[in-house]
Every structure is written in structure tokens, then in C-alpha cells.
Amino acid sequence: MVYAIISDIHANIDALEVVINDIEKIKPDRRICLGDIVGYCAAPAECIALVENFDVVLLGNHDYAINNRDIIEKFNFHARIAIEWTMAQLSDAAKQTLSRLPYLNREADLSFVHATPREPERWGYITNLDDALDSFHHFETRTCFIGHTHYPIIVSNNGEVIADKKYSWREETRYLVNVGSVGQPRDGDYRACYVVYDSDAGTLEYVRLKYDVENAQKRMRKARFPEFLVNRLKEGH
Ligand code: ZN
């Protein structure tokens, strides 16, 4: 089975369209989105509509915030401005779509979750090796795919940190894979990021795609988003 796995679109339709066009060329068996469809950029409704065609769509913390105001207090200043704007933009139907998204998906020997397999509903961040290794106790499948930090990286249960663009699964090894971000990468590379995983071949590839980042920024300026959010898009952090 070939899986195309995307995460953290954050209402960046310019990036999402380029990614979806690329995915359609590959024609994967499964299209999976790990959440955070909205927040940070200026085309939330368009992104929700496109992602609805995926086989699996999970809930991210920004998606959750649309129907659960209390969590916004935990957001940083800029994220809060973006989410308040998004709430005012979305139709009731779009909000309902977000409210129905699940935290987790499991199929074959794969788990999928936005933030952490340990406590998906607490939106913790896995940013160091200890936390990554601890997560292996909290999923039963061989591999778990996550998003949330916007940083593409693979960690094995042996403690290897793998930054390869292409990687082949090794026998008797388990993996935690961060698929990176479509709409707001934070690894210093502004290009949209997603993952193609072939479960038969045991291979994973990170795909990076240029998109019209200036157009995404134009939309944000038009919506009067903070310059900090506009600028970080091009800097990739
Ligand atoms: Zn995110």
C-alpha cells in the first residue's frame, strides 16, 4: 500500500494545492491528513473543502480550537489572532466538519495522530529524544506518524534520529515519523512538505515542493494578519 500523509496545512491553500496535485500524480492507495487544517494562513474554508476528499482526516489543536474556545488561552499571541479571525470566517457547516474529526487512526501496523500517541487530546510536543522514545510505549503498531511540531524527522525505537529524505525500514525496528508541515514548515525550508510511505517496499520519502509563497503572504496581508506570521512563512520557521 502506498500512503500519502500530510499534516499542518494551516489554511495555506497555495501550498495545499501544489501538494495535492503532486499526490494525484502518485495515485496513492490512501490519503491521510494528520490535522491542523486551519490557523496561521488566510484560506481556511478552501483547505477544509480540499482535505475532505482524503481517506482519513484527524483533528489538530487549531481545528479543535475552532469549537473549543477555552484552548485558545494556551495559544501564543499570534496563533490566537489567526484563530479568532478563522472563527469569524468559517461557516457553521465547516465548523461542524472540524468538530467531527477524530484524534487517532490505526490501520494495518500504522498509527496516525496529530500531536502525541501518549495523550493525543493534550496536544503535547515531542521535541527531544527522550519524549520520542517514551512514545513507543504508547502505540502498539510498528510505526506511528505524527505532525504538530512542523519539523520532519524520523526516530527509531533504538534511539536513532534519521533526517534522510529517503529511508528504508529496517527489520525489527519501530519508527516514529514526523511528516513535517504543508503550510508552515519550521525546519528552515519554506517549501511544502509531505510524506510518501510504501508499506510493501518499506520505504519512506519526504517530498518538498515549491509553491507561490508570495501569494499566500498576499492573502494574509489582505486579512491583516500580523507581519510576524506573514514573514515566517518565507523563512520556514
Ligand atoms: Zn500545526
Side-chain angles (χ1 to χ4, degrees):
M1 290 271 263
V2 175
Y3 296 79
I5 309 158
I6 71 171
S7 191
D8 296 276
I9 297 120
H10 287 296
N12 188 339
I13 190 71
D14 299 284
L16 180 61
E17 278 177 345
V18 168
V19 165
I20 287 181
N21 284 340
D22 200 65
I23 289 174
E24 289 321 306
K25 280 184 227 153
I26 297 165
K27 301 202 187 308
D29 300 295
R30 301 285 284 164
R31 295 161 176 79
I32 294 181
C33 171
L34 306 184
D36 270 4
I37 306 161
V38 304
Y40 291 134
C41 298
E46 293 88 333
C47 289
I48 292 169
L50 277 188
V51 163
E52 275 195 283
N53 299 321
F54 275 51
D55 299 298
V56 175
V57 184
L58 300 182
L59 183 71
N61 51 319
H62 290 251
D63 310 321
Y64 177 83
I66 295 299
N67 293 295
N68 298 274
R69 270 195 160 270
D70 50 308
I71 196 188
I72 299 178
E73 272 146 46
K74 291 187 191 152
F75 279 23
N76 68 50
F77 174 69
H78 295 106
R80 199 182 302 183
I81 291 175
I83 216 73
E84 301 264 12
W85 179 89
T86 306
M87 280 175 173
Q89 296 293 313
L90 292 180
S91 66
D92 287 347
K95 286 178 187 170
Q96 270 166 33
T97 300
L98 297 180
S99 75
R100 286 193 292 264
L101 302 178
Y103 286 99
L104 274 167
N105 179 57
R106 202 175 132 167
E107 53 187 78
D109 65 348
L110 310 174
S111 299
F112 302 89
V113 62
H114 181 71
T116 72
R118 182 185 179 137
E119 294 169 308
E121 70 291 345
R122 296 198 62 178
W123 312 114
Y125 290 87
I126 298 173
T127 54
N128 59 57
L129 187 57
D130 283 346
D131 288 346
L133 287 174
D134 175 68
S135 4
F136 285 97
H137 301 293
H138 301 280
F139 63 94
E140 280 148 28
T141 56
R142 182 178 183 194
T143 300
C144 180
F145 291 93
I146 61 171
H148 199 38
T149 62
H150 302 200
Y151 196 94
I153 199 84
I154 306 170
V155 179
S156 79
N157 62 330
N158 304 319
E160 299 150 292
V161 179
I162 301 146
D164 302 5
K165 293 282 163 238
K166 283 188 183 182
Y167 184 76
S168 294
W169 262 212
R170 293 214 315 271
E171 275 180 35
E172 293 179 27
T173 308
R174 298 174 69 210
Y175 295 99
L176 181 71
V177 180
N178 193 309
V179 304
S181 168
V182 169
Q184 197 207 65
R186 294 180 191 159
D187 61 337
D189 181 348
Y190 85 93
R191 293 175 302 165
C193 181
Y194 81 99
V195 152
V196 179
Y197 174 66
D198 184 329
S199 61
D200 299 323
T203 55
L204 180 140
E205 182 179 359
Y206 284 100
V207 181
R208 297 306 287 253
L209 298 166
K210 287 187 179 168
Y211 71 94
D212 192 346
V213 62
E214 279 89 7
N215 202 44
Q217 291 178 312
K218 215 162 93 186
R219 293 178 204 269
M220 292 167 81
R221 289 205 172 96
K222 211 170 148 195
R224 300 183 179 280
F225 276 37
E227 272 303 295
F228 171 79
L229 289 181
V230 178
N231 291 333
R232 81 186 293 186
L233 219 56
K234 208 170 180 176
E235 290 155 10
H237 72 75

